[in-house]
Amino acid sequence: MEQTHLVITVYVQPNSKKPGLAGHYRNFPKIKLASAPKDNEANEELILFISELLTIPKRDIIITSGEKSRIKSLILLHYPKKLLPKELHSL
């Protein structure tokens, strides 16, 4: 199986009581996080969440834009698009 780098864009809602996938917001997959958006906590939780969801190492997930925004772009290193869950497909 050919591996490739994949870029996804997601909408993040921090300070949520029920973390997890939550549909879409403005055509972006929406991910609710329990952490507050301070001291990089929400970004770290997002990387952990994506890592566990896709069973890839955290070191293979990089936030490329939106570190201080709710809309974030991430690059998934060595990850083929065909394995991406449909909930995370950017529209």
Side-chain angles (χ1 to χ4, degrees):
M1 178 184 324
E2 180 181 327
Q3 294 186 338
T4 182
H5 303 316
L6 178 66
V7 176
I8 61 170
T9 302
V10 297
Y11 176 84
V12 174
Q13 180 180 334
N15 292 320
S16 184
K17 292 181 181 180
K18 287 185 140 184
L21 291 172
H24 286 82
Y25 176 81
R26 294 187 180 176
N27 290 335
F28 299 111
K30 181 177 179 180
I31 300 175
K32 292 184 175 185
L33 302 172
S35 298
K38 63 175 188 161
D39 299 327
N40 214 30
E41 291 175 14
N43 289 337
E44 290 173 8
E45 183 182 350
L46 174 63
I47 289 172
L48 178 64
F49 177 80
I50 298 290
S51 171
E52 291 175 352
L53 178 69
L54 302 178
T55 61
I56 60 175
K58 292 187 300 184
R59 69 178 178 271
D60 287 351
I61 303 168
I62 301 166
I63 297 175
T64 58
S65 68
E67 285 188 0
K68 296 187 183 289
S69 171
R70 289 184 178 220
I71 297 176
K72 301 178 184 295
S73 291
L74 302 100
I75 188 165
L76 310 177
L77 303 175
H78 317 295
Y79 197 82
K81 183 175 183 174
K82 64 183 173 183
L83 294 180
L84 192 67
K86 66 179 178 179
E87 296 87 0
L88 289 181
H89 282 262
S90 296
L91 302 174

